[in-house]
Amino acid sequence: QFFALLDIGGTDIKSCVGDAQESKLGKILRTATPSNISKRNNHYEISPSKILQEVVKHVNHLESEPLRINGLLISGQMGSWVLTDEKNRPLTNVVSWQDNRVLDLGQENMENIRKEFGDRRLIETGNELRSGLPIFGIRTILKNWDQSQSVRIHSLISWIASQICSEYSFSVHITDAAST
């Protein structure tokens, strides 16, 4: 059985076909992940259309393989997120784990969120709250959000899946949600 593998990283996007029975990888395609487009200090944003263009290059490469591919596996450790509408169309840029926009509101804002989050949730989610976590960036953006507009919170890889799959169910795997 052959599977298409797609890994979306902070530096590179990688893809190849893997042979599940032989535990072998085919030729790996590697391209650069688009860079920060924000001009604001503490902000790190990636253009959704640029990152999707790169992913489509990889999907086209995978589809050109003369093998019967049984499925696509997507991975990524870049704890990034994007807010979309209910049809998964971006309402924000992709915001990287390197983003520290919460610091624009001052350190006390981070401490208030930490208190509100609570010790029990901290322990359950890894005992770490740092300025680049999505909970802070999302909260900073939603603070001034029009409450009448519905919004979905996607990880980078859940949003990519929504864009390249013909039938997409809005769900996030627990290992992907953990970084959020």
Side-chain angles (χ1 to χ4, degrees):
Q1 290 188 340
F2 295 97
F3 288 89
L5 309 172
L6 175 66
D7 179 68
I8 305 163
T11 304
D12 292 320
I13 300 169
K14 288 98 39 200
S15 63
C16 68
V17 173
D19 182 337
Q21 292 166 327
E22 298 291 325
S23 297
K24 291 184 180 177
L25 298 178
K27 184 179 179 207
I28 298 172
L29 174 64
R30 180 183 301 258
T31 62
T33 300
S35 60
N36 185 10
I37 59 170
S38 179
K39 304 291 186 227
R40 297 181 63 186
N41 286 341
N42 295 327
H43 293 227
Y44 197 106
E45 299 179 4
I46 301 168
S47 163
S49 62
K50 295 273 189 218
I51 201 160
L52 187 56
Q53 279 178 329
E54 285 303 312
V55 168
V56 167
K57 285 181 196 175
H58 287 264
V59 170
N60 290 339
H61 168 75
L62 294 166
E63 287 179 335
S64 73
E65 291 289 333
L67 303 167
R68 184 178 182 282
I69 295 176
N70 297 81
L72 170 65
L73 304 174
I74 304 173
S75 67
Q77 290 185 339
M78 185 170 65
S80 301
W81 52 274
V82 60
L83 300 181
T84 72
D85 64 15
E86 291 179 348
K87 293 185 178 177
N88 305 311
R89 293 178 297 220
L91 300 172
T92 65
N93 288 321
V94 172
V95 180
S96 168
W97 65 273
Q98 297 161 298
D99 187 89
N100 290 299
R101 69 185 63 224
V102 71
L103 298 178
D104 294 348
L105 303 176
Q107 189 68 31
E108 67 278 356
N109 184 55
M110 224 174 106
E111 290 305 317
N112 289 338
I113 295 172
R114 185 185 313 265
K115 287 176 190 169
E116 188 178 316
F117 198 68
D119 291 337
R120 187 178 112 288
R121 280 201 209 134
L122 267 176
I123 292 167
E124 290 172 350
T125 59
N127 251 351
E128 179 185 37
L129 285 182
R130 55 181 161 52
S131 61
L133 285 176
I135 190 171
F136 291 123
I138 292 167
R139 175 114 180 222
T140 302
I141 287 177
L142 291 180
K143 183 178 179 193
N144 299 314
W145 199 264
D146 176 2
Q147 297 297 316
S148 67
Q149 184 177 21
S150 293
V151 64
R152 284 185 171 174
I153 300 169
H154 276 280
S155 70
L156 174 59
I157 62 177
S158 74
W159 178 71
I160 290 294
S162 80
Q163 300 303 294
I164 63 174
C165 294
S166 57
E167 293 180 33
Y168 176 77
S169 173
F170 179 59
S171 63
V172 178
H173 190 271
I174 191 169
T175 58
D176 190 24
S179 68
T180 307

